[in-house]
Amino acid sequence: MMPSKKKLIKELENYFDRLWDLPRSITGKGFRDSLEIIRELMPHKVIKFKTGQKVFDWTIPDEWNPKEAYFIGPDGIKYADFSINNLHLLNYSESFEGTVSLEELKKHLYTLPNMPEAIPYVTSYYERRWGFCIKHSEYEKLPKGNYFVKIDTDLGKGSLNLAEAVLKGETDKEILFSSYLCHPSMANNELSGPLVLASLYKLIASIPKRRYTYRFIIVPETIGAISYLSVMGKHLKAKSIAGYQITCVGDSGAYTYKYSRQHDSLSDRVANNILKNIKDVKYRKFNPAIGSDERQFCSPGFDLPIGSLMRTMYTEFNEYHTSLDNKDFISFKSMAETTFLYFEFFQLIEKNFFWKNTVMYGEPQLGKRRLFDTIGAKKTTSELDNAMWWILNYADGANDLIKISDISEIDWKVLNEMAEILHDKGVLSYE
Amino acid sequence: MMPSKKKLIKELENYFDRLWDLPRSITGKGFRDSLEIIRELMPHKVIKFKTGQKVFDWTIPDEWNPKEAYFIGPDGIKYADFSINNLHLLNYSESFEGTVSLEELKKHLYTLPNMPEAIPYVTSYYERRWGFCIKHSEYEKLPKGNYFVKIDTDLGKGSLNLAEAVLKGETDKEILFSSYLCHPSMANNELSGPLVLASLYKLIASIPKRRYTYRFIIVPETIGAISYLSVMGKHLKAKSIAGYQITCVGDSGAYTYKYSRQHDSLSDRVANNILKNIKDVKYRKFNPAIGSDERQFCSPGFDLPIGSLMRTMYTEFNEYHTSLDNKDFISFKSMAETTFLYFEFFQLIEKNFFWKNTVMYGEPQLGKRRLFDTIGAKKTTSELDNAMWWILNYADGANDLIKISDISEIDWKVLNEMAEILHDKGVLSYE
Amino acid sequence: MMPSKKKLIKELENYFDRLWDLPRSITGKGFRDSLEIIRELMPHKVIKFKTGQKVFDWTIPDEWNPKEAYFIGPDGIKYADFSINNLHLLNYSESFEGTVSLEELKKHLYTLPNMPEAIPYVTSYYERRWGFCIKHSEYEKLPKGNYFVKIDTDLGKGSLNLAEAVLKGETDKEILFSSYLCHPSMANNELSGPLVLASLYKLIASIPKRRYTYRFIIVPETIGAISYLSVMGKHLKAKSIAGYQITCVGDSGAYTYKYSRQHDSLSDRVANNILKNIKDVKYRKFNPAIGSDERQFCSPGFDLPIGSLMRTMYTEFNEYHTSLDNKDFISFKSMAETTFLYFEFFQLIEKNFFWKNTVMYGEPQLGKRRLFDTIGAKKTTSELDNAMWWILNYADGANDLIKISDISEIDWKVLNEMAEILHDKGVLSYE
């Protein structure tokens, strides 16, 4: 049964709180533990790639597991304690222990001078470094003298993991939903993404019969998407008819839709059709320079039909990639609404038939089928009657429901209601 | 010889007055008598379909011939007398005679509460009922008590009739003009339609030589068009290159053009080209939910190139389908102007050649053909010279006159004048 | 080595002054002498067409060589002396000597009543006449009485000449630059044209290696272009991928771009891409009624991709085809800037590769190639990084550099810089 919005809001917050503190990265225990929690919402298979394995142009890196990290100043104060905020440790930092001068230490500190109260999120996946991220306000007050630095992390052979869940449908044509889970404690970018994806999974799974197959993946960003494509890209290229990258869906800002590279894919047409009824939507053309894993799915060799419905997009909010992208910044109500909007995308895809009128020559006699008032008089046409005429004329087997809705400017749900009535009466068929 | 506008205005009014009172419906003597009057303007063949005959999804109904209808109140007053206004009788009403209470009577009365002084036009072709249409102001004053009702109509086997006139041209490519004649006493919708169509017939017939074949039909709306298509649809699909549904051409409102379903058919291109020089034209995309027989011609199996040039369109004037759509509402001067505008459509279709320049490489030497001033100097180019250069360059056999006019923004008549000069000089040819 | 702008300005003025006074027409010594001066800038081959020779629909006319022309009034004053301003003599005037009344003389005088201080430029190439062009202010003051007229011109068999220079490239695909040289003492239209063309030749010739072949022609307008096409049209049709008619490039007005007939030819795409960064450019669609030799190159049989970048276009400045189109009207600084802008067109054409990413599936690992910062953090993307992502995604072999620049709204020079870096790193290739 489909959960109510109220119930969904609660559930989202509950899972958010449980996931918040886990020390995630592109590999390691934090990522795996997070997947295990999400498994409660979305049962899935875990796919593993071993350190050193080639995935297209990339190589799976060592697995990283942080244990402890801080530094102690000449004032005896403990700074940048990883156990308090996991953003303090440079993601993928190597181990280090020793005493260094303030000058030397500063070479390993990352701050945001323009946002002095924010801890930045910084990574160094593909080059070995050690370092800390702290507030710039704190950085400026560090006293002169020697600092004892302690970073204890494991970096060694292991694996990269990703989750895959598939809901089978009547056909093997597929819709892909993708999100990522490699960021430590940040809210809009990223915990909102996998939470909406997993909730959407639950909604779609509650539908007893589906026309299409739905594939859900949660990966470490970039390298995870590339790894998945290295084994499933060919399949996706053959089967995917639509899909969306789910990210930045947590705040209560206006919706943003980023088009797929094809710009008029089924994903884009569904989004255009549904979003035109919503105020203040921002549209962004496909942009390979800024984005998430849609950049991989839309790389030229694949060019998959993957768009992205977001709230406030990465790079369009100041808190992006800092400690200020936290629970205060997001809204579980908005997150639930976004989930239901994605669910409407699903509904339209399912109902987007190429209907065909069985009476192609002249209009059908509707009176005899009790489909139309037998009294002919001056009156306004009801929305449903209006929908009937548009469908009868345009259901020629070449126009899908979205096209008819776009041409007629009639809501797809009204058209679909009438199409199903006409189908029951034997006036419409489909292949 | 082509009649003057003045003469046409008189003729339109004369025929309007003669046709006004005839009790028309989709079948019956009223329709046939009306056709006989129109025959004076447009000689035609009558095509018959017998009651019970299948035409696509429809069946030809019984023929309906009303004789008498009224009811008498407890106040002794005779109401809704059909002999005074034929809208008073529900179109296709069955016979009834008897005494009924006011309460019972009211179940058979049709009024327009929002237009209390208008008698509505109501039909019940495909379900047997009896009824009257009256002004709502009258309805509200009907005294309590018993009413004697008398409706005498014949409903039985007979035929549905339609008129067809064909003006042959040099080729068998055809242009279709269609109108309908099943409405009783109403003016803009509908008497204006068949009157403009028949007048246009006369204008085109006065031209001694035509390039294309012109087909004119006057039918009972919907069922008549479907009946005609059932025998001639295949032919029309093969031969029609353009056509127009002529309706609502009687008032003096701004022109309205409704596109064919194809949206860029020759009909539409002709209309776009000519109407862009007229102020305040309203454009309406093809809409299968609202309209006349273009909805049948443009049903998906046929998808004929049929547009519709109107004045104020059905549903866009309040008087539509009521007794207020009468002689006061229309203008014979406007009706004559509309006729001449349709005649310009005809002229452009006839002159719309794919001209081909005989000098395709470099421009022709025009001085030696006395086609251009042999003095070269700073001067403004005349409209006709301007037309010449555009034709010479674009007459490559792939652009028709309309296209050249659209690109150059030169009036088609100026281009055509120059094209004919160049043709006489041997510079242009056509296939 | 490429000349500086300063040097170019000087050179343009120097050659302008030397060419100004020569009595040019479509044939004759004035044209040939002018070509010989231009040869210093642009070595070329001269192609000759003999009087009487057929070129498509045209015939090469007699050669015209004016020697002396004036008339003396009853007041003893010498008027319209050709030796003072060669516009005074009707171009292609036949000889005449004799005494005529003022009334008779006036039949042979051409003036501009609306521009009383301007001597008009008038020609009579294809019909024999004699005549003079004078200021209308002078015309009005001519005293009554008899005038002695003296016109001594040679009109007889000879030849029409044109110049052709070709800079070979690695491929035989060609770009055409064309200008004309048949006008006597006028500046914007026309001396600016051949001077910019010859200067552009020098710039392009200074580049050691060219991808494409560049063809430069200087012809007498209309008949010269037709003559050239009569021998080289087939070749141009097969080989030309772009080209420009260079005319009206001398004043300091805003740029004007006239599209080729194809409207989206490579010429037009190059112009659109580069000119969008310049303010106040005027765009004119191809117009066969007004123009220069692009009208011949774009005649329907050839339809070559020839556009035209101008400053203030013929017919859009009042001084056009009069003695007021002189050195005061133009600016050698602007002329030099126009030359360099045409040179940028050349540069973009040369660099407009269909790049192809060698990593088509997922994005390339850029960190390992030192192409991207190995620290991942919140930061603004640099213009060059931005260019990199757009190229990597769109370099699929189907998009040329112009297309990628148009889609990404990134300057082609930035994209090209990055494309060459990626090419050096082995990430991009081209065929």
Side-chain angles (χ1 to χ4, degrees):
Chain A
M1 216 195 67
M2 200 173 312
S4 69
K5 187 171 144 194
K6 211 166 151 184
K7 203 182 142 198
L8 179 54
I9 293 171
K10 267 202 177 157
E11 195 170 80
L12 285 164
E13 180 164 9
N14 170 22
Y15 278 90
F16 180 89
D17 290 341
R18 288 171 62 196
L19 287 161
W20 178 253
D21 267 338
L22 298 184
R24 283 177 293 277
S25 181
I26 52 174
T27 60
K29 190 171 177 300
F31 189 94
R32 277 191 295 266
D33 290 349
S34 299
L35 276 191
E36 284 317 299
I37 292 171
I38 287 171
R39 182 185 297 283
E40 299 169 19
L41 291 165
M42 178 180 93
H44 57 257
K45 178 170 94 181
V46 171
I47 302 176
K48 293 189 186 199
F49 295 83
K50 284 195 189 154
T51 295
Q53 191 174 332
K54 288 283 288 175
V55 287
F56 292 124
D57 194 47
W58 298 61
T59 306
I60 302 297
D62 281 347
E63 183 173 320
W64 182 67
N65 284 295
K67 287 183 281 190
E68 196 179 13
Y70 58 83
F71 57 86
I72 298 174
D75 49 6
I77 295 178
K78 198 182 208 181
Y79 292 97
D81 189 346
F82 175 68
S83 71
I84 290 170
N85 189 326
N86 58 35
L87 288 174
H88 276 314
L89 178 59
L90 173 69
N91 209 301
Y92 257 72
S93 175
E94 57 188 352
S95 292
F96 181 81
E97 186 169 338
T99 300
V100 297
S101 69
L102 175 60
E103 201 189 346
E104 178 61 23
L105 176 66
K106 281 192 170 178
K107 293 181 189 160
H108 298 270
L109 298 185
Y110 299 92
T111 72
L112 290 170
N114 293 329
M115 294 177 72
E117 296 309 314
I119 307 167
Y121 165 52
V122 184
T123 65
S124 183
Y125 301 136
Y126 303 104
E127 173 131 344
R128 288 288 154 91
R129 288 185 178 89
W130 65 264
F132 295 95
C133 302
I134 62 170
K135 295 180 185 178
H136 196 69
S137 64
E138 205 166 35
Y139 173 93
E140 291 205 304
K141 286 182 207 143
L142 291 176
K144 292 215 161 171
N146 285 331
Y147 284 76
F148 171 71
V149 173
K150 167 90 182 186
I151 300 179
D152 182 5
T153 63
D154 276 351
L155 256 169
K157 290 211 181 301
S159 68
L160 178 146
N161 304 268
L162 54 85
E164 180 199 58
V166 176
L167 290 170
K168 291 255 180 206
E170 291 167 345
T171 75
D172 64 355
K173 291 289 172 195
E174 285 193 7
I175 289 83
L176 175 70
F177 294 101
S178 165
S179 194
Y180 52 97
L181 189 65
C182 50
H183 292 47
S185 306
M186 282 171 292
N188 193 36
N189 182 30
E190 89 179 4
L191 270 182
S192 72
L195 286 175
V196 165
L197 178 134
S199 305
L200 180 64
Y201 172 92
K202 266 186 80 171
L203 290 180
I204 295 178
S206 75
I207 303 298
K209 209 178 91 171
R210 284 170 300 272
R211 190 170 156 212
Y212 296 114
T213 292
Y214 292 83
R215 180 177 297 270
F216 301 77
I217 61 171
I218 298 179
V219 303
E221 207 178 7
T222 307
I223 180 87
I226 289 169
S227 300
Y228 189 68
L229 285 168
S230 76
V231 292
M232 291 299 293
K234 219 168 178 172
H235 174 86
L236 291 175
K237 183 89 188 133
K239 300 298 182 190
S240 299
I241 60 167
Y244 300 94
Q245 177 70 13
I246 303 184
T247 177
C248 294
V249 283
D251 70 308
S252 52
Y255 287 108
T256 303
Y257 183 70
K258 180 179 177 178
Y259 287 91
S260 75
R261 187 180 188 265
Q262 300 173 17
H263 204 84
D264 59 353
S265 65
L266 178 57
S267 313
D268 301 324
R269 295 175 62 233
V270 164
N272 280 336
N273 186 275
I274 288 175
L275 297 175
K276 70 168 184 284
N277 300 319
I278 296 178
K279 270 204 297 188
D280 299 328
V281 175
K282 297 181 204 168
Y283 294 92
R284 300 284 179 260
K285 67 179 181 188
F286 178 71
N287 180 338
I290 303 166
S292 179
D293 289 334
E294 75 282 359
R295 295 168 53 249
Q296 309 310 326
F297 301 125
C298 298
S299 56
F302 292 116
D303 198 14
L304 299 178
I306 308 298
S308 188
L309 173 70
M310 297 167 276
R311 291 283 188 158
T312 306
M313 190 172 96
Y314 34 79
T315 74
E316 297 191 4
F317 60 103
N318 243 322
E319 294 81 356
Y320 174 70
H321 273 195
T322 75
S323 57
L324 302 183
D325 179 6
N326 54 31
K327 199 174 172 180
D328 292 342
F329 181 65
I330 58 168
S331 151
F332 295 101
K333 184 168 161 287
S334 298
M335 223 186 277
E337 283 165 2
T338 311
T339 308
F340 280 106
L341 189 53
Y342 263 120
F343 186 69
E344 189 181 338
F345 283 23
F346 154 78
Q347 290 175 304
L348 176 48
I349 289 169
E350 286 281 304
K351 297 299 188 186
N352 186 40
F353 289 99
F354 285 81
W355 290 107
K356 186 154 185 183
N357 194 337
T358 58
V359 180
M360 293 289 276
Y361 299 96
E363 71 189 39
Q365 220 288 38
L366 299 167
K368 72 183 184 192
R369 292 186 180 79
R370 299 281 136 196
L371 276 163
F372 199 58
D373 207 337
T374 53
I375 280 281
K378 175 191 172 83
K379 62 188 167 199
T380 51
T381 310
S382 77
E383 203 186 12
L384 211 54
D385 277 351
N386 196 28
M388 180 182 66
W389 294 117
W390 281 94
I391 293 171
L392 289 174
N393 190 286
Y394 282 94
D396 58 4
N399 299 310
D400 61 8
L401 193 81
I402 295 171
K403 178 83 181 288
I404 302 179
S405 171
D406 288 345
I407 293 177
S408 66
E409 296 170 37
I410 298 171
D411 191 288
W412 76 267
K413 288 190 287 295
V414 176
L415 284 173
N416 181 59
E417 181 185 342
M418 180 42 79
E420 294 187 345
I421 292 170
L422 292 169
H423 184 222
D424 289 348
K425 295 277 183 182
V427 180
L428 288 193
S429 67
Y430 63 93
E431 268 137 51
Chain B
M1 216 195 67
M2 202 173 311
S4 70
K5 186 172 145 193
K6 211 167 150 184
K7 205 183 140 195
L8 179 54
I9 292 172
K10 266 203 178 155
E11 195 169 81
L12 285 165
E13 181 164 8
N14 171 21
Y15 279 90
F16 179 90
D17 290 341
R18 288 170 61 195
L19 287 161
W20 178 254
D21 267 337
L22 298 185
R24 284 176 292 278
S25 182
I26 53 174
T27 60
K29 190 171 177 302
F31 188 93
R32 277 191 295 267
D33 290 349
S34 298
L35 276 191
E36 283 317 299
I37 291 171
I38 287 172
R39 183 185 296 283
E40 298 168 20
L41 290 165
M42 178 180 94
H44 59 257
K45 178 168 94 178
V46 172
I47 302 176
K48 294 189 185 196
F49 296 82
K50 284 195 189 153
T51 295
Q53 191 174 333
K54 288 282 288 175
V55 287
F56 291 123
D57 194 47
W58 298 62
T59 307
I60 303 296
D62 281 346
E63 183 172 321
W64 183 67
N65 284 295
K67 287 183 284 189
E68 198 179 10
Y70 58 84
F71 57 86
I72 297 175
D75 49 6
I77 295 178
K78 199 183 208 180
Y79 292 96
D81 189 347
F82 174 70
S83 71
I84 291 171
N85 188 324
N86 57 36
L87 289 174
H88 275 316
L89 179 58
L90 173 68
N91 208 300
Y92 257 72
S93 175
E94 58 188 351
S95 292
F96 180 81
E97 187 169 336
T99 301
V100 297
S101 68
L102 176 58
E103 202 190 345
E104 177 62 23
L105 176 65
K106 281 191 169 177
K107 293 181 188 159
H108 297 270
L109 298 185
Y110 299 92
T111 71
L112 291 170
N114 294 329
M115 294 176 73
E117 297 308 314
I119 307 166
Y121 165 54
V122 185
T123 65
S124 184
Y125 300 137
Y126 304 103
E127 172 130 346
R128 287 289 154 91
R129 287 185 178 90
W130 65 264
F132 295 96
C133 303
I134 62 169
K135 295 180 184 177
H136 196 70
S137 63
E138 205 165 36
Y139 173 92
E140 292 206 302
K141 287 182 206 142
L142 290 177
K144 293 214 160 172
N146 285 330
Y147 285 75
F148 172 70
V149 173
K150 167 89 182 186
I151 300 179
D152 184 4
T153 62
D154 276 351
L155 256 169
K157 291 209 179 303
S159 68
L160 178 147
N161 303 269
L162 54 84
E164 179 200 58
V166 177
L167 291 169
K168 291 254 180 206
E170 290 167 346
T171 75
D172 64 354
K173 291 288 171 195
E174 286 192 6
I175 288 84
L176 175 71
F177 293 102
S178 166
S179 195
Y180 52 98
L181 189 65
C182 51
H183 292 47
S185 305
M186 282 170 293
N188 192 36
N189 181 31
E190 90 181 1
L191 270 182
S192 71
L195 286 174
V196 165
L197 178 134
S199 304
L200 179 64
Y201 172 93
K202 267 186 79 172
L203 290 179
I204 294 177
S206 75
I207 304 299
K209 209 178 91 170
R210 284 169 300 271
R211 189 170 156 213
Y212 296 115
T213 292
Y214 292 84
R215 181 176 298 270
F216 301 77
I217 60 171
I218 299 179
V219 303
E221 206 179 8
T222 307
I223 180 87
I226 290 170
S227 300
Y228 189 68
L229 284 169
S230 77
V231 292
M232 292 299 293
K234 218 167 178 172
H235 173 89
L236 291 175
K237 183 87 189 135
K239 301 297 182 189
S240 299
I241 59 168
Y244 301 93
Q245 176 70 13
I246 304 184
T247 178
C248 295
V249 284
D251 71 307
S252 51
Y255 286 108
T256 303
Y257 182 70
K258 180 179 175 177
Y259 287 91
S260 75
R261 187 179 188 266
Q262 300 172 17
H263 205 84
D264 60 353
S265 64
L266 179 57
S267 313
D268 301 324
R269 295 176 62 234
V270 164
N272 280 337
N273 186 274
I274 288 175
L275 297 175
K276 70 169 185 284
N277 301 318
I278 295 179
K279 270 204 298 189
D280 299 327
V281 175
K282 297 179 203 168
Y283 294 92
R284 300 285 179 263
K285 67 179 181 188
F286 178 71
N287 180 338
I290 302 165
S292 179
D293 289 334
E294 75 281 1
R295 295 169 52 249
Q296 309 310 326
F297 302 126
C298 298
S299 55
F302 293 116
D303 199 12
L304 298 178
I306 308 298
S308 188
L309 173 70
M310 296 167 277
R311 291 284 187 157
T312 307
M313 190 171 97
Y314 33 79
T315 74
E316 297 191 4
F317 60 103
N318 244 321
E319 295 80 357
Y320 174 70
H321 273 196
T322 76
S323 58
L324 301 183
D325 179 5
N326 55 31
K327 198 173 172 181
D328 293 342
F329 181 66
I330 57 168
S331 152
F332 295 100
K333 185 168 162 285
S334 297
M335 223 186 277
E337 284 164 3
T338 311
T339 308
F340 279 107
L341 188 54
Y342 263 121
F343 186 70
E344 189 181 339
F345 283 23
F346 154 80
Q347 289 176 304
L348 174 49
I349 291 169
E350 287 281 305
K351 297 299 188 187
N352 186 40
F353 289 99
F354 285 81
W355 290 107
K356 187 155 184 181
N357 192 338
T358 58
V359 180
M360 293 288 276
Y361 300 96
E363 72 189 40
Q365 219 289 35
L366 299 166
K368 72 182 184 193
R369 293 186 179 79
R370 299 282 135 194
L371 276 165
F372 199 59
D373 207 338
T374 52
I375 280 280
K378 177 191 170 84
K379 63 189 167 197
T380 52
T381 310
S382 78
E383 202 186 11
L384 211 53
D385 277 352
N386 196 27
M388 181 182 66
W389 294 116
W390 281 94
I391 294 170
L392 289 174
N393 190 286
Y394 282 93
D396 58 5
N399 300 310
D400 61 8
L401 194 80
I402 295 170
K403 178 84 181 288
I404 302 178
S405 171
D406 289 344
I407 293 176
S408 66
E409 295 170 38
I410 298 172
D411 191 289
W412 77 266
K413 289 190 286 296
V414 176
L415 284 172
N416 180 59
E417 181 186 340
M418 179 43 79
E420 294 187 345
I421 291 169
L422 292 169
H423 184 221
D424 290 348
K425 296 277 183 181
V427 179
L428 289 193
S429 67
Y430 63 92
E431 268 138 50
Chain C
M1 217 195 67
M2 200 174 312
S4 70
K5 186 172 143 193
K6 211 167 151 185
K7 203 182 141 197
L8 178 55
I9 292 172
K10 267 203 177 154
E11 193 170 82
L12 285 164
E13 180 163 9
N14 171 21
Y15 278 90
F16 179 89
D17 290 341
R18 287 169 62 195
L19 287 162
W20 176 254
D21 267 337
L22 298 185
R24 283 176 293 276
S25 182
I26 52 175
T27 59
K29 190 171 177 302
F31 188 94
R32 277 190 294 268
D33 289 350
S34 299
L35 276 191
E36 284 316 299
I37 292 170
I38 287 172
R39 182 184 296 283
E40 299 168 19
L41 290 165
M42 177 180 95
H44 58 256
K45 177 169 95 180
V46 171
I47 302 176
K48 293 190 186 197
F49 296 83
K50 283 194 188 154
T51 294
Q53 191 174 333
K54 288 283 287 175
V55 287
F56 291 124
D57 194 48
W58 298 62
T59 306
I60 303 297
D62 280 348
E63 183 173 319
W64 183 67
N65 283 296
K67 285 183 283 191
E68 197 178 11
Y70 58 84
F71 57 87
I72 298 175
D75 50 6
I77 295 177
K78 198 182 207 180
Y79 292 96
D81 190 346
F82 174 70
S83 72
I84 291 170
N85 187 324
N86 56 36
L87 289 175
H88 276 315
L89 179 58
L90 173 69
N91 208 301
Y92 257 72
S93 175
E94 58 189 351
S95 292
F96 180 81
E97 187 168 337
T99 300
V100 298
S101 68
L102 176 59
E103 201 189 345
E104 178 61 24
L105 176 66
K106 282 191 169 176
K107 294 181 189 160
H108 298 270
L109 298 185
Y110 300 92
T111 72
L112 291 170
N114 294 329
M115 294 177 73
E117 297 308 315
I119 307 166
Y121 164 53
V122 184
T123 65
S124 184
Y125 301 137
Y126 303 104
E127 173 131 344
R128 288 288 153 90
R129 288 185 177 90
W130 64 265
F132 295 96
C133 302
I134 62 169
K135 295 181 185 177
H136 195 69
S137 63
E138 203 166 36
Y139 172 92
E140 291 205 302
K141 286 184 206 142
L142 288 176
K144 291 215 162 171
N146 285 332
Y147 285 75
F148 171 71
V149 174
K150 167 88 182 188
I151 300 179
D152 183 4
T153 63
D154 276 352
L155 256 169
K157 292 211 180 301
S159 67
L160 178 146
N161 304 269
L162 54 86
E164 179 199 58
V166 177
L167 291 169
K168 291 255 181 206
E170 291 167 345
T171 76
D172 64 353
K173 290 289 170 196
E174 285 194 6
I175 288 83
L176 175 70
F177 293 102
S178 165
S179 194
Y180 52 98
L181 190 65
C182 51
H183 292 48
S185 306
M186 281 170 294
N188 193 36
N189 182 31
E190 88 176 4
L191 270 182
S192 71
L195 286 174
V196 166
L197 178 133
S199 304
L200 179 64
Y201 172 93
K202 266 186 78 171
L203 291 179
I204 295 178
S206 76
I207 303 299
K209 208 178 91 171
R210 283 169 302 270
R211 188 170 156 212
Y212 295 115
T213 292
Y214 293 83
R215 181 176 297 270
F216 301 78
I217 61 171
I218 298 178
V219 304
E221 205 178 9
T222 306
I223 180 87
I226 290 169
S227 300
Y228 189 68
L229 285 168
S230 75
V231 293
M232 291 299 292
K234 219 167 176 172
H235 173 88
L236 291 175
K237 183 87 188 135
K239 300 297 183 190
S240 300
I241 59 167
Y244 300 94
Q245 177 69 13
I246 303 183
T247 177
C248 295
V249 283
D251 72 307
S252 51
Y255 286 107
T256 303
Y257 183 70
K258 181 179 176 178
Y259 287 92
S260 75
R261 187 180 187 267
Q262 301 172 16
H263 204 83
D264 59 354
S265 64
L266 178 58
S267 312
D268 301 324
R269 295 176 62 234
V270 164
N272 280 335
N273 185 274
I274 288 175
L275 297 174
K276 71 168 184 285
N277 300 319
I278 296 178
K279 270 205 297 189
D280 299 327
V281 175
K282 296 181 203 168
Y283 294 91
R284 300 284 180 260
K285 68 178 181 189
F286 178 70
N287 180 338
I290 302 166
S292 179
D293 289 334
E294 75 281 1
R295 295 169 53 249
Q296 309 311 325
F297 301 127
C298 297
S299 56
F302 293 115
D303 198 14
L304 298 178
I306 308 297
S308 188
L309 173 70
M310 298 167 275
R311 291 283 188 157
T312 306
M313 190 171 96
Y314 32 80
T315 74
E316 297 191 4
F317 60 102
N318 245 321
E319 295 80 356
Y320 173 70
H321 272 196
T322 75
S323 58
L324 301 183
D325 179 6
N326 55 32
K327 197 174 173 180
D328 293 342
F329 181 66
I330 59 168
S331 151
F332 294 101
K333 184 168 162 286
S334 298
M335 223 186 277
E337 283 164 2
T338 311
T339 308
F340 279 107
L341 189 53
Y342 263 120
F343 185 70
E344 189 181 338
F345 283 22
F346 153 80
Q347 289 175 303
L348 175 49
I349 291 170
E350 287 280 305
K351 297 297 188 186
N352 186 40
F353 289 99
F354 285 82
W355 291 107
K356 187 154 183 182
N357 193 336
T358 57
V359 180
M360 292 289 275
Y361 300 96
E363 71 188 40
Q365 219 288 37
L366 298 166
K368 72 183 184 192
R369 293 186 180 79
R370 299 280 135 195
L371 275 164
F372 199 59
D373 207 338
T374 52
I375 279 279
K378 176 189 170 83
K379 63 189 166 196
T380 52
T381 310
S382 77
E383 202 186 12
L384 211 55
D385 276 350
N386 197 27
M388 180 181 66
W389 295 115
W390 281 94
I391 292 170
L392 288 175
N393 191 287
Y394 283 95
D396 58 4
N399 299 310
D400 61 8
L401 193 81
I402 295 170
K403 179 82 182 289
I404 301 178
S405 171
D406 289 344
I407 293 177
S408 66
E409 297 170 38
I410 298 171
D411 191 289
W412 77 266
K413 288 190 286 296
V414 177
L415 284 173
N416 181 58
E417 181 185 342
M418 180 42 79
E420 294 187 345
I421 292 169
L422 292 168
H423 184 222
D424 289 349
K425 297 275 182 181
V427 179
L428 287 193
S429 68
Y430 64 92
E431 267 138 52

